[in-house]
């Protein structure tokens, strides 16, 4: 028993925010994936953004993409855009950063990046492109993990970076209005200035845009507390492919006037319209943050502890993460600076609370831990409200995905599964892969039923690939799970959409696309194939 | 100073539930409205359901509705339905309860009520109706307040009452799957059986259907805590007008596979499809419930107290209601059995907390009250965790709308307004109405920026009517508020939709309708005109 005494945690909120901000920004949810450059394996990727990985081949070539029937950019088009936006905001050189995805898996061949300053300019650009049949890819912070925000062929990149203002933050109602190109961290800071917080937090917060978050229905580490963006986003302004501005803004939690169409733009990955502005409900920031890192003997105990956390921590529970033994050990082996407070258990959980009263939260979490130990469900662990120690524990969780790719090739999957079957697939996969895999492990957002399943090996291995895919999708589909819990479909997963969506639904998705983007100019080659 | 001592409130949840269940079931949000039977004033209604009000004239006649170009029911159609559903589930007599709306404002002239038992039967009915061009109105508990769930002309009533099963409730994930025709209270009871609660509570819970709640995006008294149904509903199964079953079910908080089309069926009032099944995230039920009833001297103090409640009660705040002096006094005059613990203040607030630890909640609420009094914002009040007293205080709030119509005619509006301007319209309206009105008052869900504005007078008064409408809609529109916060549009408010939705949005609403219901057979004469 090594339970550390809880420390008084009042006024920890800003320190905790710093912790989160310092997480490695390796994608929208701090997961990374690997891929064999020459092979078309949609969900397995080899390189990490920011690493010294080579520039990939053009995706149109490697993936044998048939270019759509779009017009080709001319000098006259460029001149038109220069007149519209000003020369400084029309880029035709050094476009690599806009053409290559965060993971360096996808590389497009766009010759033009446009940087409008406001909704009217976005509308004017799209109206022109629609009339000319020029294809367009909207781009925010370009931190997506499924190739949704980069061109596949020669689409014009429409960067939202200059629509970056926080228009208003209402301390009383908690409602903020923000432009789509505002960086999440900057938005959160503006909210924190008046004692609020943005109900969304993810690894890429220093570079991702709030408009991109909304367009991809980004998940992150606060979903267990604040729910998803469909609940938090109160209004959206979107520019359609035709250039029409669809004003679905609302600053109210209750507004039952007609169809709730804003949700079509939350999670449709820029294929139905370009989100230019939105309003969001921001909760008050928490005064106290505590983190527990605990060891457990079985997945059954993990589930019991999760139920107990929901029941006893209830309103203050803000994160509930699972790491299995192999995932933890791999990270500890790769990163010697990591210091796990406990070892020797098959399962670990990271449980975070955020509340308005540090003493109360401390008492609740101590009670929760004590009861769990008494019942024999929790074996050992650490609980802390000390900002430094909170950061240290989060670091363990954050380095887990990186540990798996540090010196290995890794097949990675982001799936939602029923909690009762949550971990089975890891055992099943371990058996299927046998000696071919070096590590088969699972970790993820237990509180959201979101598993990151990982199969790593020395290098890309076709035998493993065949044993893993499409089995993992079929398995997930049979349990009516989601084959993409938080990353979306983008370019990389569109061939697998049918595992989670029935044909009637996919048919109506196509109809929605036709209705809102009749010429198909918006983010082609994505989501639907 | 009459602050009662807080009582120990552990294990109060079930008692509190009883309290809520006993609220007068006077509509989806315990508000009622009055109307002059012979005059077409869409949002002003005279009678209450369950009262001895006379049966209204046929709406097609009173409101001069032009019947759509639909087929007319034949004996052959009835025979077909009898074969399909069984004779017992095809009603052709005693249809008054299905034809007349809850408020006895709208009366249709349907000759046929169909009661399918499952999704397949709903699909078969709609496919037939679509081919025959027979118009259909889906009907749940028929508790709506805007005439959305009754026929206007001779539409076939499609009752969901037999799709009433709670299919599953998962204690671990909190996810429940339920058929659309399940009564909200029954659903909640099933959730409570395993320690969960349905994140939706409203006055009509004993008779409204969960499918109707979802179809109307019902609000109620828990929105301030659990958000709206777009966040809580994880999946929807809907049958389209063509009879196609659109399976958008999901049992996961995270599922980013394609367009999030389920939201089109949340709040579209049965005009785009018939919801037959849904999954919902149910939080754990709270062990402790406390209620404070406080008096304040100004609306500025009300706002400060609301901010303080959000900040200090934070995660345990579960209701924040406002009642002004005139609204309270009218109720007290009409209902002598009501007993207000305080009097003599221009504003009153009812603040409820629900949490997992009674002692902690008690301490938080005492601190909140103490600080508010010290700052001079809260003048006096009562705080209690005693179930009987909690019920007594809620009763005051619940009787306020009834007090205003007890012996008067009342113009009633359900609007969302920016909190900073929340109460101004009451003063403005009081001045506009001058001596013509007997009471002009405001109350409502302050925590959701949802005001119930009321103008009462001895009997319907055309002078007041002209002074109030369309002024109230124009005023709301100028502040970018919502002209229907929680009741929806239905039949009664469709002429006012443009005050809250711009023409481009309304245009795309029409396109959505055309796409999903090409023959316009589903719930005609509603939402769009």
């Amino acid at each position: 028993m090594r339970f550390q005494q809880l420390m008084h945690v009042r006024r920890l909120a800003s320190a905790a925010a710093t912790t989160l901000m310092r997480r490695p920004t390796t994608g929208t949810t701090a997961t990374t994936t690997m891929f064999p450059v020459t092979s078309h394996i949609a969900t397995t990727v080899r390189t990490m953004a920011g690493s010294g990985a080579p520039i990939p081949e053009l995706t149109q070539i490697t993936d044998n993409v048939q270019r759509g029937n779009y017009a080709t950019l001319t000098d006259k088009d460029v001149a038109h855009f220069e007149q519209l936006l000003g020369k400084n905001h029309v880029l035709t050189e050094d476009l690599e950063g806009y053409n290559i995805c965060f993971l360096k898996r996808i590389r497009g061949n766009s010759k033009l990046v446009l940087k409008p300053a406001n909704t009217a300019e976005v509308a004017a650009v799209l109206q022109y492109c629609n009339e000319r049949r020029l294809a367009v890819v909207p781009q925010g912070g370009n931190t997506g993990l499924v190739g949704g925000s980069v061109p596949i062929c020669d689409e014009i990149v429409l960067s939202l970076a200059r629509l970056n203002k926080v228009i208003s933050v209402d301390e009383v109602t908690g409602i903020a209005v923000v432009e789509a190109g505002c960086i999440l961290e900057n938005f959160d800071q503006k909210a924190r200035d008046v004692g609020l917080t943005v109900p969304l937090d993810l690894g890429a917060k220093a570079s991702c845009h709030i408009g991109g978050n909304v367009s991809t229905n980004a998940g992150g580490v606060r979903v267990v507390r604040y729910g998803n963006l469909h609940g938090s986003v109160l209004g959206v302004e979107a520019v359609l492919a035709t250039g029409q501005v669809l004003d679905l803004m609302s600053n109210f939690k209750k507004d039952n006037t007609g169809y709730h169409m804003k949700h079509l733009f939350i999670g449709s990955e820029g294929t139905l319209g370009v989100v230019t502005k939105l309003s969001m409900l921001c909760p008050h920031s928490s005064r106290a943050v505590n983190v527990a890192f605990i060891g457990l003997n079985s997945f059954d105990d993990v589930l019991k502890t999760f139920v107990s956390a929901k029941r006893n921590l209830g309103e203050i529970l803000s994160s509930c993460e699972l790491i299995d033994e192999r995932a933890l050990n791999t990270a500890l082996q790769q990163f010697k600076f990591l210091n796990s407070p406990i070892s020797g258990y098959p399962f670990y959980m990271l449980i975070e609370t955020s509340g308005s009263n540090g003493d109360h939260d401390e008492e609740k979490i101590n009670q929760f831990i004590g009861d769990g130990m008494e019942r024999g469900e929790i074996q050992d662990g650490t609980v802390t409200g000390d900002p430094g120690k909170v950061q240290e524990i989060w670091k363990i969780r954050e380095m887990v995905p990186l540990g798996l790719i540090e010196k290995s090739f890794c097949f990675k999957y982001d799936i939602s599964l029923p909690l009762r079957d949550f971990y089975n697939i890891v055992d099943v996969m371990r058996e299927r892969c046998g000696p071919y895999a070096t590590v088969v492990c699972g970790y993820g957002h237990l509180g959201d039923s979101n598993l990151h399943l990982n199969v790593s090996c020395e290098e890309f291995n076709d035998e493993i690939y065949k044993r893993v895919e499409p089995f993992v999708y079929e398995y997930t589909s049979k349990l009516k799970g989601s084959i993409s819990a938080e990353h979306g479909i983008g370019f990389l997963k569109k061939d697998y959409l049918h595992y989670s969506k029935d044909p009637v639904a996919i048919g109506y998705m196509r109809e929605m696309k036709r209705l809102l983007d009749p010429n198909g100019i918006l983010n082609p080659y994505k989501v639907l194939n």
Side-chain angles (χ1 to χ4, degrees), chain A:
Chain A
M1 298 292 169
R2 274 184 290 177
F3 263 97
Q4 289 181 235
Q5 199 59 34
L6 264 168
M7 299 185 60
H8 195 61
V9 285
R10 281 182 186 278
R11 288 276 160 214
L12 188 64
S14 58
T18 311
T19 306
L20 296 173
M21 282 150 53
R22 284 188 196 150
R23 283 183 198 162
T25 54
T26 52
T28 54
T29 53
T31 61
T32 42
T33 46
M34 302 186 72
F35 74 102
V37 174
T38 53
S39 166
H40 176 199
I41 300 168
T43 53
T44 53
V45 284
R46 175 170 280 154
T47 53
M48 286 168 51
S51 75
I55 293 174
E57 289 292 316
L58 288 175
T59 298
Q60 194 183 350
I61 294 167
T62 58
D63 291 63
N64 195 23
V65 179
Q66 179 68 40
R67 184 179 182 278
N69 188 26
Y70 301 107
T72 304
L73 193 73
T74 64
D75 290 346
K76 206 176 141 196
D77 295 324
V78 176
H80 172 82
F81 291 126
E82 284 178 346
Q83 193 171 26
L84 192 66
L85 309 178
K87 282 200 175 191
N88 288 345
H89 309 303
V90 176
L91 315 184
T92 54
E93 289 174 357
D94 298 326
L95 306 186
E96 208 171 82
Y98 298 93
N99 268 314
I100 300 177
C101 83
F102 183 84
L103 293 169
K104 296 198 179 169
R105 162 66 181 86
I106 305 295
R107 182 175 155 218
N109 194 22
S110 180
K111 307 295 189 198
L112 185 68
V113 174
L114 301 178
K115 296 188 145 186
N118 51 49
T119 301
E121 288 188 1
V122 172
V125 165
L126 287 180
Q127 187 181 359
Y128 181 88
C129 290
N130 191 49
E131 281 164 10
R132 277 276 292 128
R133 305 289 195 276
L134 289 163
V136 174
V137 52
Q139 190 174 90
N142 196 14
T143 60
L145 299 177
V146 289
S149 59
V150 282
I152 301 303
C153 298
D154 60 343
E155 302 92 285
I156 294 170
V157 176
L158 180 68
S159 166
L160 278 296
R162 290 175 68 215
L163 283 82
N164 59 2
K165 286 190 287 297
V166 177
I167 296 167
S168 63
V169 183
D170 188 318
E171 182 187 349
V172 179
T173 59
I175 292 163
V177 179
V178 60
E179 289 185 331
C182 183
I183 289 172
L184 175 57
E185 190 170 274
N186 298 348
F187 179 24
D188 191 53
Q189 192 51 57
K190 289 275 188 191
R192 285 182 184 275
D193 288 348
V194 295
L196 303 171
T197 183
V198 175
L200 174 74
D201 187 11
L202 33 83
K205 74 185 287 181
S207 47
C208 65
H209 292 186
I210 188 65
N213 300 145
V214 168
S215 298
T216 58
N217 188 32
V221 298
R222 289 184 184 172
V223 173
V224 73
R225 174 65 166 271
Y226 299 119
N228 66 43
L229 290 176
H230 289 281
S232 305
V233 174
L234 301 181
V236 159
E237 176 190 80
V239 181
L240 302 182
T242 57
Q244 280 178 297
V245 179
L246 194 50
D247 179 359
L248 304 171
M249 288 297 284
S250 169
N251 292 344
F252 301 98
K253 292 168 76 177
K254 288 183 176 175
D255 177 21
N256 275 345
T257 54
Y259 305 162
H260 295 241
M261 291 189 294
K262 71 174 182 228
H263 298 280
L264 284 176
F265 302 96
I266 302 175
S268 54
E269 307 182 42
T271 62
L272 297 181
V274 178
V275 172
T276 44
K277 193 165 72 177
L278 56 109
S279 55
M280 189 176 277
L281 189 64
C282 297
H284 274 277
S285 51
S286 296
R287 291 173 183 158
V289 176
N290 285 296
V291 166
F293 190 76
I294 56 181
L296 308 97
N297 276 336
S298 69
F299 187 70
D300 192 46
D301 285 344
V302 168
L303 283 191
K304 284 178 181 156
T305 301
F306 174 52
V307 172
S308 168
K310 293 228 290 183
R311 210 178 288 272
N312 293 291
L313 302 175
E315 60 274 10
I316 61 168
L317 180 66
S318 57
S319 250
C320 186
E321 300 283 310
L322 173 74
I323 311 172
D324 76 5
E325 183 178 26
R326 289 174 177 84
L328 180 69
N329 289 347
T330 306
L332 295 177
Q333 278 160 24
Q334 298 299 335
F335 308 113
K336 298 299 179 194
F337 62 86
L338 288 180
N339 182 20
S340 176
I342 51 171
S343 62
Y345 298 99
F347 295 98
Y348 301 87
M349 291 175 82
L350 187 162
I351 292 172
E352 187 191 74
T353 64
S354 311
S356 58
N357 184 308
D359 295 339
H360 292 170
D361 295 2
E362 188 178 323
E363 204 180 310
K364 284 190 182 84
I365 201 165
N366 278 342
Q367 179 79 36
F368 155 71
I369 294 285
D371 289 353
M373 293 186 83
E374 204 172 294
R375 286 193 301 266
E377 291 153 13
I378 298 173
Q379 301 305 318
D380 197 358
T382 299
V383 185
T384 182
D386 175 78
K389 289 192 168 49
V390 164
Q391 186 168 358
E392 218 171 88
I393 289 174
W394 265 114
K395 182 66 87 182
I396 298 170
R397 166 66 185 85
E398 290 155 9
M399 297 310 284
V400 162
L402 305 182
L404 288 156
I405 55 171
E406 183 66 7
K407 289 175 188 158
S408 307
F409 179 87
C410 192
F411 295 86
K412 298 180 78 80
Y413 303 92
D414 162 42
I415 52 184
S416 283
L417 286 172
L419 269 189
R420 293 183 200 286
D421 302 298
F422 190 73
Y423 194 75
N424 295 347
I425 193 169
V426 183
D427 292 329
V428 168
M429 204 55 88
R430 195 172 291 135
E431 194 163 323
R432 281 181 73 85
C433 292
Y436 295 100
T438 48
V439 180
V440 178
C441 67
Y443 61 90
H445 314 295
L446 181 81
D448 306 323
S449 303
N450 180 189
L451 177 72
H452 296 306
L453 167 68
N454 288 255
V455 179
S456 72
C457 43
E458 284 180 14
E459 56 187 14
F460 174 75
N461 180 319
D462 204 51
E463 184 60 35
I464 294 185
Y465 175 51
K466 280 190 224 149
R467 288 172 184 234
V468 175
E469 292 193 27
F471 177 82
V472 61
Y473 297 118
E474 287 166 358
Y475 185 100
T476 304
S477 181
K478 269 183 205 149
L479 291 169
K480 298 188 180 298
S482 171
I483 60 112
S484 189
E486 46 181 19
H487 297 166
I489 297 297
F491 175 74
L492 289 174
K493 290 189 184 173
K494 67 191 167 117
D495 291 341
Y496 308 106
L497 180 63
H498 66 280
Y499 283 106
S500 279
K501 276 275 179 297
D502 87 354
V504 179
I506 292 177
Y508 276 97
M509 281 174 60
R510 285 189 207 288
E511 296 290 334
M512 294 286 162
K513 173 72 177 173
R514 250 191 292 272
L515 173 61
L516 293 169
D517 178 16
N519 296 328
I521 64 157
L522 263 183
N523 217 3
Y525 322 110
K526 314 287 171 62
V527 184
L528 290 160
N529 58 15

